[in-house]
Amino acid sequence: MKDLKILILYASYGNGHKQAAYALEQEFYRQGAQKVILSDVYIESYPKFANFTRTLYEKSYKPIGLPIYKAFYYGTDRYSRSGLAYLSQFIGLKRIREIIERERPDAIITTFPILSAPKLGSTEQYAIPTYTVITDYCLHSFWIHPNIHRYFVSSDKVGEELHKLGVAREKIVVSGIPIRASFESEPDVEKFYGTYPVDPAKKIVTVVAGAVGQLRNVEKLVPEILENRDIQVIVICGNNEKLYQKIVPLREEYPGRLTVFGYVENIHEILAASYCVITKPGGISITEAAAMKVPLIFFKPVPGQERENAEFFQASGAAFVTYHLSEIKEKINWLLKDGNKQREMKKAMERIYKPHASGTIVSEVIRSLENRLPYPKTAASKENRVGGGG
């Protein structure tokens, strides 16, 4: 579409929403958009408050914060039609209006439940269609607003949950979750083995610690796994320097069998070479693993969207959910002894993964803009209330 301008809104609670926004930005440019504007709308609107709430979010992964976050997540989902959901429509409203007035975008995309976007975009003054990309394998009713033009979801399950809460089927597209372009192409595993000090004769178990809400007890987990001499371990610490300094000394105890990274760009190559991966069940990271068809093991997923994601992958046959270190070792040894189980889990990943989600989303947005489709009016009455859930 000629001279297309797109506004993409996200929030920095974890890296997933931001990564999805960046993936969509690149795809819009690839498909010929004139300009894509990205906005971390809460940081730009209320920097001090946003940083404070982000700190609280990160503390939710610690034992003292778990029950608080659990109560908040499930409580707000159940009572989404309360005043809190109504008030959330006004968060960031001034900043979004400023961007719209300056840029005059043709569409608004959200990768976080920013309800002020559909509220403002649907007014007669602006009449800008709003699309939302749900970046998990579960649904929280805060994502729902009667003025959202299309919902892009990870799976049929999330689509059905949306429909049960009153969203018209024609507003739901099962696109998959947008991920980095590097995960959409075949990785060069041979190059990886030639670049890093890993042994092609030993199975690789990769531990991804996570940028937010660090995977717990990694320094205890690694020796447990390495008791099996047929295994080598790669630990990816991301930007967590404290964890990196804890793990690096272990290399002396396991020469040639433990590789430790900080932040890595080529994580897709590492995942592709891995026999299995131990990680947190964030929506983006597990979608990237699904793209590489690598079985997953989750350790103590926190209540909320991560536990829901973990249970979905386990129910689909693509992952194990564990709560004790000894369970992780048992699952790894089981996979090593039973090659059929590993192959079954890889096939399950193939069933979950929706390739080229960014392309699907961008193409649908452009198509609907070209046709100037009106907002569907066939949604059940539930959707006509903010948060739509019961």
Side-chain angles (χ1 to χ4, degrees):
M1 187 174 179
K2 189 177 179 181
D3 299 331
L4 185 66
K5 280 189 180 181
I6 300 293
L7 172 60
I8 302 179
L9 306 176
Y10 65 92
S12 297
Y13 294 92
N15 285 334
H17 308 289
K18 182 178 181 179
Q19 285 185 23
Y22 283 176
L24 291 170
E25 175 196 29
Q26 294 303 310
E27 183 62 24
F28 269 111
Y29 279 129
R30 194 188 72 78
Q31 294 200 30
Q34 178 195 27
K35 187 174 183 180
V36 181
I37 307 99
L38 271 72
S39 173
D40 187 342
V41 67
Y42 293 159
I43 283 288
E44 294 171 15
S45 300
Y46 328 99
K48 291 183 179 179
F49 179 74
N51 283 321
F52 172 70
T53 55
R54 190 162 57 186
T55 299
L56 290 180
Y57 170 73
E58 292 171 4
K59 288 184 182 299
S60 73
Y61 288 88
K62 299 183 182 301
I64 193 170
L66 289 178
I68 298 172
Y69 185 74
K70 179 181 179 180
F72 174 81
Y73 181 87
Y74 292 107
T76 54
D77 187 35
R78 184 177 178 184
Y79 300 110
S80 59
R81 289 173 288 175
S82 66
L84 180 61
Y86 175 77
L87 290 173
S88 70
Q89 296 181 100
F90 299 93
I91 300 175
L93 204 62
K94 180 181 178 182
R95 175 58 181 162
I96 296 171
R97 182 180 283 111
E98 289 172 354
I99 299 172
I100 290 175
E101 292 283 357
R102 184 182 72 242
E103 300 291 348
R104 296 293 177 180
D106 296 287
I108 301 172
I109 318 288
T110 68
T111 64
F112 189 82
I114 302 171
L115 299 184
S116 47
K119 175 180 175 57
L120 187 63
S122 63
T123 60
E124 289 185 11
Q125 181 181 359
Y126 299 115
I128 304 170
T130 299
Y131 306 80
T132 198
V133 180
I134 299 177
T135 51
D136 285 297
Y137 291 84
C138 58
L139 176 67
H140 190 290
S141 52
F142 258 27
W143 286 98
I144 303 174
H145 190 282
N147 298 330
I148 289 174
H149 193 62
R150 290 285 187 281
Y151 297 85
F152 296 100
V153 301
S154 58
S155 66
D156 292 329
K157 171 180 172 289
V158 176
E160 284 303 313
E161 289 173 357
L162 270 174
H163 183 61
K164 287 178 182 177
L165 290 177
V167 178
R169 290 193 186 277
E170 58 264 34
K171 295 177 73 172
I172 302 167
V173 179
V174 182
S175 60
I177 296 176
I179 55 177
R180 289 170 282 185
S182 57
F183 285 87
E184 300 283 9
S185 56
E186 193 70 27
D188 190 342
V189 177
E190 289 186 10
K191 181 183 175 183
F192 168 75
Y193 277 111
T195 304
Y196 297 100
V198 291
D199 183 356
K202 294 184 183 296
K203 296 291 192 294
I204 296 174
V205 174
T206 297
V207 180
V208 182
V212 177
Q214 170 194 330
L215 191 71
R216 286 170 279 175
N217 299 314
V218 175
E219 67 275 16
K220 296 178 182 178
L221 172 62
V222 169
E224 287 268 349
I225 299 172
L226 287 171
E227 285 182 10
N228 187 326
R229 294 186 175 275
D230 294 325
I231 292 175
Q232 59 189 318
V233 171
I234 294 176
V235 179
I236 301 174
C237 301
N239 296 318
N240 193 325
E241 181 63 25
K242 185 177 179 181
L243 177 63
Y244 183 86
Q245 294 301 330
K246 280 184 180 180
I247 302 298
V248 163
L250 293 175
R251 292 186 301 191
E252 296 181 10
E253 298 179 36
Y254 304 96
R257 297 178 57 213
L258 176 60
T259 305
V260 186
F261 293 108
Y263 178 81
V264 291
E265 285 288 347
N266 65 329
I267 190 171
H268 60 292
E269 293 178 353
I270 297 174
L271 296 187
S274 300
Y275 198 73
C276 66
V277 172
I278 303 162
T279 187
K280 291 167 56 269
I284 300 297
S285 59
I286 59 179
T287 302
E288 292 175 341
M292 297 295 99
K293 304 179 185 66
V294 56
L296 294 174
I297 299 175
F298 303 125
F299 180 55
K300 291 185 178 180
V302 299
Q305 69 271 23
E306 291 200 355
R307 181 172 293 175
E308 301 291 327
N309 288 339
E311 291 177 353
F312 173 77
F313 268 63
Q314 179 169 254
S316 301
F320 296 117
V321 177
T322 63
Y323 290 92
H324 302 282
L325 294 180
S326 59
E327 284 184 80
I328 296 178
K329 184 169 65 174
E330 289 171 7
K331 299 301 185 187
I332 293 171
N333 290 336
W334 180 19
L335 288 176
L336 288 171
K337 290 177 182 177
D338 185 354
N340 286 331
K341 182 61 180 175
Q342 203 245 13
R343 286 189 288 273
E344 288 171 5
M345 294 179 77
K346 290 171 79 71
K347 287 180 180 178
M349 283 295 197
E350 288 185 34
R351 291 192 294 270
I352 290 172
Y353 179 56
K354 304 288 187 295
H356 308 295
S358 295
T360 300
I361 293 167
V362 170
S363 295
E364 172 63 19
V365 170
I366 292 174
R367 185 193 68 80
S368 67
L369 290 173
E370 286 175 339
N371 295 334
R372 294 298 182 194
L373 298 177
Y375 291 101
K377 300 298 184 182
T378 56
S381 59
K382 286 184 187 177
E383 194 200 352
N384 294 323
R385 297 189 290 260
V386 173

